[in-house]
Amino acid sequence: MDGTDGNTNGLLEAEAAIQPFLDILKEDSVVNLSTLRSIVLKILVHPELFCGFDQFKSLCSSLLQGDATAVALGNTLDLFSYGSLRDYTQKQQQAPDYYLPLNDLAQTKLGQLTVLTCIQEACFHGATRISYAALAESLGWINAEQPQQDDGWIRNVEDILIRCLYAKALKGKLCQRTRSFGWETESLPVVCARDVPPTQIPRLLAALKGLGRRLESSENEVAQAQGQVTQGLEEASQFWCSIQEKKKTAQSESMFKGSGAGGAASQQRPFGFDPSGGDSRSAARSSSSRSSKRSRGGFGGNFATDTAFRL
């Protein structure tokens, strides 16, 4: 199963989902704490909202002070911005009033956000697959140091992943054989981004600066290689041009020598010269003399008279 889509990178445009709630805070200046609590509860279970909780909190920060309910609202918004389902479960055991009580839908949504964070961290470190066990530990469902007797957590992890895929907040494939989720064949990004914790901003800035330096270095290397290729092509072109010029010169010289030798030989031959070694005029006279003798010999005269004379 995958969460790919034909549009852009296949992921949900989660930023657009928070905008109507932000507009309410901007347009209505008389929002009270009760109304704000109702809006927050809707935001927490919104199926297409995976980021923007911190932006919503910044617009209503003046109402999130003093009262215990107001403080719990602010803490809950921070939880959905940067926290995990395990954080909520642990805090409920220590201070039940620290967060707003979450129903099943809100806890499922927080589980989805937790999975997105885990996969985002895996992508940041260059991984292309994450195990169900790692996700279940981040969700607070198992302890990696203790053997698990029940496999029910596997179905729960798969259910969270499938919800993320159907919401188009994630791209990839489930593998029941290896009990893992992978995104090897997917184009980046494969996960919708959550709100950035303030503590991670320096790390992200350092990563971006490092990326900028690598891109600049790569650009210089590409420009250098391009210059070398251009120079090589120019040298190759000049070499072949010189070869063509030499070829034309050699052909011209050969034709000139051939025509010059033929003209000199014709000019040196005297009239009547026989190439076989004799004089053509002497050969003609000798041939005429032999012909006359044969005629006088009888073939050309009176055969009977000549025979009688001999007898």
Side-chain angles (χ1 to χ4, degrees):
M1 178 179 299
D2 59 53
T4 57
D5 187 15
N7 299 326
T8 61
N9 59 12
L11 293 177
L12 176 72
E13 294 183 4
E15 295 83 359
I18 192 67
Q19 193 59 47
F21 301 100
L22 298 178
D23 293 339
I24 293 175
L25 295 179
K26 293 177 181 178
E27 296 173 0
D28 192 351
S29 58
V30 294
V31 174
N32 55 31
L33 185 60
S34 177
T35 304
L36 180 63
R37 186 178 187 276
S38 300
I39 296 174
V40 170
L41 292 178
K42 291 180 180 180
I43 289 175
L44 299 183
V45 297
H46 194 287
E48 297 182 355
L49 211 161
F50 295 94
C51 64
F53 303 100
D54 56 350
Q55 189 176 2
F56 183 89
K57 180 183 176 181
S58 65
L59 292 178
C60 60
S61 58
S62 59
L63 297 174
L64 301 177
Q65 300 175 2
D67 187 82
T69 302
V71 174
L73 277 174
N75 294 337
T76 305
L77 287 172
D78 288 339
L79 176 67
F80 276 71
S81 290
Y82 323 118
S84 66
L85 183 60
R86 182 174 59 183
D87 296 335
Y88 173 76
T89 303
Q90 292 176 350
K91 203 67 175 179
Q92 283 294 99
Q93 297 173 357
Q94 301 170 0
D97 296 332
Y98 189 82
Y99 298 120
L100 292 178
L102 302 180
N103 57 22
D104 291 341
L105 285 177
Q107 291 190 41
T108 299
K109 180 63 173 296
L110 187 57
Q112 290 179 261
L113 294 170
T114 304
V115 167
L116 296 183
T117 297
C118 292
I119 295 177
Q120 191 173 13
E121 286 290 327
C123 291
F124 184 82
H125 292 94
T128 57
R129 183 167 291 275
I130 190 171
S131 66
Y132 288 173
L135 295 175
E137 187 176 6
S138 296
L139 290 164
W141 292 344
I142 65 171
N143 188 341
E145 298 178 355
Q146 298 178 358
Q148 302 300 316
Q149 303 296 332
D150 184 14
D151 290 342
W153 61 272
I154 297 176
R155 292 189 294 272
N156 293 335
V157 169
E158 290 179 339
D159 179 65
I160 292 290
L161 288 170
I162 291 171
R163 286 176 180 271
C164 291
L165 291 172
Y166 276 118
K168 297 181 181 179
L170 184 63
K171 294 190 298 184
K173 294 179 175 61
L174 287 75
C175 182
Q176 294 180 339
R177 181 178 60 84
T178 61
R179 293 184 177 181
S180 64
F181 180 81
W183 54 92
E184 298 92 340
T185 60
E186 302 292 341
S187 59
L188 296 176
V190 298
V191 58
C192 283
R194 292 186 65 184
D195 297 333
V196 179
T199 56
Q200 291 188 6
I201 293 178
R203 187 187 70 168
L204 293 176
L205 290 176
L208 290 174
K209 290 180 180 179
L211 177 61
R213 288 191 296 269
R214 291 195 298 272
L215 290 175
E216 184 178 358
S217 176
S218 300
E219 183 179 2
N220 294 334
E221 293 177 358
V222 169
Q224 184 179 0
Q226 185 177 5
Q228 293 175 352
V229 170
T230 303
Q231 181 179 358
L233 291 174
E234 291 177 353
E235 292 177 354
S237 177
Q238 293 175 0
F239 172 76
W240 285 112
C241 287
S242 65
I243 293 295
Q244 294 293 331
E245 290 295 331
K246 291 179 180 179
K247 181 180 178 182
K248 291 179 180 179
T249 302
Q251 290 177 346
S252 299
E253 292 178 353
S254 177
M255 293 176 62
F256 177 76
K257 290 179 179 179
S259 61
S266 63
Q267 291 175 2
Q268 293 175 2
R269 292 174 185 173
F271 176 74
F273 174 75
D274 185 5
S276 62
D279 190 342
S280 59
R281 289 177 292 182
S282 300
R285 289 196 298 268
S286 175
S287 176
S288 176
S289 177
R290 287 195 297 270
S291 176
S292 300
K293 291 179 181 179
R294 283 195 299 270
S295 298
R296 290 195 299 269
F299 288 100
N302 192 338
F303 180 75
T305 306
D306 189 42
T307 303
F309 177 77
R310 291 180 180 178
L311 292 175

